[in-house]
């Protein structure tokens, strides 16, 4: 986390104890407990509290920006504020939406299409959304009925798939060819591997693993399904927030 100094800057001489509690305790000790609650979740809780109390000043603007930085996407923010409107009041939600639009002003459809690397973003990966934490996109590049299936998979910041295994009686497995952004790959019982464009990961059949974006970066890789006999995928538990955010 970036060290907070707003309390000391504004009230250091007038109210030094308050400045200490604000900067060193709240934004230092409490917010840094990422093993207990992720920064993304803390941002959502904080926004909800402020909006519910009708606080829609610069402090909310700050926490909306922090939420974006901590992985809350534009789509998630819109859904959060829509849901919150029924509990915190329609006028409060309207005020929050005006600020959120400014914070996410650069998240237009055009800028989103810049992600995905050379092979393009594709469409929302809705068919497999239940096996992902966060939003992902899929751009199939070949027809699996005609040849080896290759698809460009793009993960928004903080997105990752669940632990899973590629099964096969013989052959099988998967290759990942990283093409854009930065991400993670991890096999069960091994340390996570940082991924950048140009990296290639070979995943044998029968190996439990997961992969996805880093929390502050988009990430795209080509997923190549290796030919095999009686191939299938087994989807398992999700990668928990406290584990992922400690990477």
């Amino acid at each position: 986390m970036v060290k907070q100094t707003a309390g000391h800057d504004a009230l250091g001489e007038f109210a030094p104890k308050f400045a200490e509690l604000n900067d060193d305790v709240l934004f230092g000790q409490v917010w840094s407990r990422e093993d207990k609650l992720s920064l993304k979740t803390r941002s959502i809780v904080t926004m909800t509290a402020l909006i519910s109390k009708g606080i829609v000043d610069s402090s909310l603007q700050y926490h909306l920006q922090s939420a974006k930085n901590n992985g809350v996407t534009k789509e998630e923010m819109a859904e959060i504020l829509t849901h919150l409107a029924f509990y915190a009041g329609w006028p409060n939600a309207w005020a929050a939406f005006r600020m959120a639009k400014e914070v996410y002003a650069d998240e237009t459809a055009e800028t989103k299409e810049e992600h995905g690397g050379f092979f393009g973003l594709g469409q929302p990966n809705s068919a497999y959304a239940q096996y992902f934490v966060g939003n992902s996109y899929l751009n199939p590049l070949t027809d699996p009925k005609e040849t080896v299936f290759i698809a460009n998979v793009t993960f928004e910041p903080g997105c990752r798939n669940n632990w899973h295994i590629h099964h096969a009686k013989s052959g099988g497995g998967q290759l990942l060819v990283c093409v854009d952004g930065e991400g993670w790959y991890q096999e069960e019982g091994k340390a996570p591997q940082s991924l950048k464009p140009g990296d290639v990961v070979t995943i044998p059949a029968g190996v439990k693993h997961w992969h996805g974006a880093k929390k502050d970066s988009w990430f795209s890789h080509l997923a190549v399904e290796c030919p095999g006999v009686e191939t299938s995928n087994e989807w398992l538990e999700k990668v928990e927030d406290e584990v992922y955010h400690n990477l």
Side-chain angles (χ1 to χ4, degrees):
M1 280 190 61
V2 176
K3 181 175 175 56
Q4 176 65 264
T5 63
H8 286 90
D9 294 342
L11 296 170
E13 294 184 4
F14 185 80
K17 188 60 180 180
F18 180 88
E20 176 191 347
L21 293 172
N22 184 82
D23 297 353
D24 303 336
V25 178
L26 173 58
F27 287 100
Q29 298 174 23
V30 176
W31 275 80
S32 66
R33 288 158 52 88
E34 294 181 58
D35 59 324
K36 305 299 183 184
L37 204 63
S38 70
L39 291 177
K40 180 177 180 179
T41 303
R42 290 183 186 277
S43 286
I44 294 172
V45 171
T46 304
M47 289 187 311
T48 300
L50 293 175
I51 296 169
S52 297
K53 292 174 70 66
I55 300 175
V56 288
D57 57 11
S58 60
S59 62
L60 177 60
Q61 185 92 16
Y62 169 84
H63 283 288
L64 289 169
Q65 183 63 56
S66 294
K68 179 183 177 184
N69 296 342
N70 290 334
V72 177
T73 67
K74 182 178 71 172
E75 291 78 10
E76 289 174 329
M77 179 62 73
E79 189 64 23
I80 289 168
L81 296 183
T82 299
H83 184 90
L84 192 55
F86 289 90
Y87 295 90
W90 224 252
N92 290 346
W94 264 109
F97 266 120
R98 293 189 184 97
M99 289 186 176
K101 285 185 65 178
E102 295 179 9
V103 169
Y104 289 85
D106 61 334
E107 291 287 317
T108 61
E110 290 74 22
T111 57
K112 179 174 283 190
E113 289 298 334
E114 295 176 2
H115 298 291
F118 180 81
F119 296 96
L121 185 69
Q123 299 300 316
N125 191 15
S126 55
Y128 291 88
Q130 61 182 312
Y131 306 121
F132 285 70
V133 174
N135 298 317
S136 66
Y137 303 84
L138 185 67
N139 189 18
L141 303 178
T142 61
D143 185 345
K145 297 179 180 179
E146 298 178 354
T147 185
V148 172
F149 181 57
I150 304 175
N152 191 34
V153 185
T154 298
F155 303 77
E156 289 189 355
C159 176
R160 65 276 189 189
N161 51 32
N162 291 4
W163 288 95
H164 58 285
I165 302 172
H166 303 294
H167 292 290
K169 186 175 181 180
S170 63
Q174 188 179 58
L175 297 177
L176 305 181
V177 181
C178 306
V179 297
D180 189 58
E182 295 188 22
W184 293 108
Y185 169 78
Q186 184 177 19
E187 295 181 2
E188 185 178 40
K190 295 185 179 181
Q193 177 183 343
S194 178
L195 300 177
K196 294 183 179 180
D199 290 337
V200 177
V201 178
T202 301
I203 309 172
V207 173
K208 183 177 178 180
H209 65 284
W210 69 271
H211 38 102
K214 293 186 176 180
K215 58 186 176 183
D216 56 356
S217 175
W218 286 73
F219 177 59
S220 297
H221 64 60
L222 298 183
V224 184
E225 292 189 3
C226 301
V229 177
E230 296 182 14
T231 59
S232 64
N233 291 336
E234 179 184 6
W235 291 99
L236 304 167
E237 72 276 9
K238 71 177 184 178
V239 180
E240 297 295 342
D241 287 346
E242 57 266 29
V243 174
Y244 173 79
H245 287 290
N246 281 329
L247 296 179

